[in-house]
Amino acid sequence: MTQPTFDPEAYKATTRAQWDEAAEAWQRWGPTLERWLGPATEAMLDAAGVGPGARVLDVAAGAGWQTLAAARRVGPNGHVLATDISAEILARAERGAHDAGLSWVSVRTLDGEALDVEPAAYDAVISRVGFIYFPDQAAAFASMRRALRPGGRLAGVVYSTPEANPFFAVPAAIIRRRAALPAPLPGQPGPFSLGAPGVAEQVFLRAGFVDVTVQTIAAPLRMASAAECLRFEQESFGALHAMLAGVDDAEREAAWAEIGERLADYDGPEGFVGPGELLVVAGQRPPPTG
Ligand SMILES: C[S@@+](CC[C@H](N)C(=O)[O-])C[C@H]1O[C@@H](n2cnc3c(N)ncnc32)[C@H](O)[C@@H]1O
């Protein structure tokens, strides 16, 4: 079997299209996302030192739920620039900030690997479940580092391991098997690409960050039932749809049915509780010397 080649530009085009498509659902499931990602979000904002008056760059901001949390912290004397490769999902962030009266938020459609922003202009760069999408990690982390003032901090949230996140790992594995897809190679984007012990830390260190820390945060996904979780993943997890693109309708239906059965393992007296675990990774652009 020939090794399939990975085309980073095609990958990014597909990713953008997926998130344009999933924008409405990611916005609509916001309250669920906040229950699931809320503690990690607060830890990320703490680790990035986001406080009153700070200038914050949010990378892969999506529908902007964490943008709003950052904006509330910085207040009117600060500023948050939310960026994303998908203009469609970023429009949700802009609308959310407007509706919440957070006029110190602005948005720009930008690829995180090439952040065309003023260099050294930000006190903090944040990215929630965004680092895992970059085919060229070196370019992305150099770009985020350049945006920070010396001494400024980068912090992001990533999934830990597949074993600790079965609500996502199990569906991905089922689809991978049914669609006969190869596992992503090391260094390629993927949900768990930065989750193994030491991997994210090394990426930060290689990019020239110092004072690198990694916190592990329990993040169970709580829903009314496995059926609701299945709906959430079908509507919002564009990556799963992309993996199913090459199979026929019957096989696709069979895959979702199998996923539904396996997710039911996590139904119990309190509804669906899918074990989950996130890492908050942070580092500092070296402060000026002397
Ligand atoms: C899982 S969503 C997270 C959105 C948001 N940060 C949140 O936590 O709700 C991932 C986001 O990454 C964005 N993304 C993917 N590749 C990107 C890239 N190369 N540059 C910027 N954003 C990217 C997607 O468009 C999507 O909005």
Side-chain angles (χ1 to χ4, degrees):
M1 199 173 90
T2 54
Q3 186 67 35
T5 50
F6 175 77
D7 176 345
E9 286 313 313
Y11 169 84
K12 280 202 278 192
T14 310
T15 301
R16 182 189 298 113
Q18 273 166 19
W19 287 101
D20 281 349
E21 176 86 21
E24 183 276 330
W26 199 255
Q27 165 73 17
R28 180 162 39 81
W29 286 96
T32 300
L33 290 170
E34 289 323 283
R35 273 195 304 280
W36 167 40
L37 299 173
T41 304
E42 291 305 312
M44 172 183 75
L45 296 175
D46 288 345
V50 175
R55 290 170 56 87
V56 180
L57 175 63
D58 188 355
V59 175
W65 294 91
Q66 74 293 314
T67 311
L68 305 191
R72 292 196 175 95
R73 281 194 183 207
V74 305
N77 295 326
H79 179 71
V80 184
L81 174 62
T83 63
D84 198 281
I85 201 167
S86 156
E88 195 62 42
I89 198 163
L90 201 53
R92 268 73 185 182
E94 187 170 33
R95 166 59 62 90
H98 177 267
D99 290 353
L102 300 167
S103 56
W104 49 96
V105 172
S106 55
V107 306
R108 273 182 66 199
T109 306
L110 287 176
D111 181 348
E113 292 181 353
L115 293 163
D116 176 21
V117 297
E118 195 188 330
Y122 293 90
D123 302 301
V125 176
I126 57 171
S127 187
R128 192 176 76 170
V129 210
F131 295 157
I132 54 177
Y133 291 93
F134 298 131
D136 188 345
Q137 269 172 2
F141 281 82
S143 189
M144 293 188 281
R145 184 177 183 271
R146 220 170 11 250
L148 282 169
R149 65 165 167 78
R153 298 188 66 84
L154 168 67
V157 175
V158 297
Y159 291 106
S160 68
T161 59
E163 296 72 27
N165 291 279
F167 74 91
F168 189 20
V170 166
I174 289 171
I175 293 176
R176 198 174 292 291
R177 168 172 50 75
R178 285 183 173 267
L181 297 172
L185 295 171
Q188 286 180 359
F192 305 108
S193 53
L194 292 171
V199 173
E201 192 178 2
Q202 278 310 312
V203 170
F204 271 59
L205 291 171
R206 265 201 306 274
F209 287 91
V210 297
D211 189 22
V212 177
T213 58
V214 180
Q215 291 173 68
T216 303
I217 311 255
L221 180 62
R222 294 175 194 278
M223 315 283 282
S225 63
E228 189 185 34
C229 183
L230 179 66
R231 199 153 52 79
F232 171 55
E233 297 198 30
Q234 282 178 317
E235 292 181 2
S236 322
F237 285 40
L240 298 180
H241 280 279
M243 289 167 72
L244 277 167
V247 305
D248 63 26
D249 288 354
E251 187 61 23
R252 185 171 307 140
E253 240 174 71
W256 286 120
E258 186 182 344
I259 291 168
E261 280 164 28
R262 291 288 304 280
L263 289 177
D265 290 349
Y266 302 102
D267 265 338
E270 293 174 23
F272 174 89
V273 185
E277 189 178 79
L278 299 165
L279 304 178
V280 174
V281 193
Q284 185 182 34
R285 177 170 181 175
T289 47

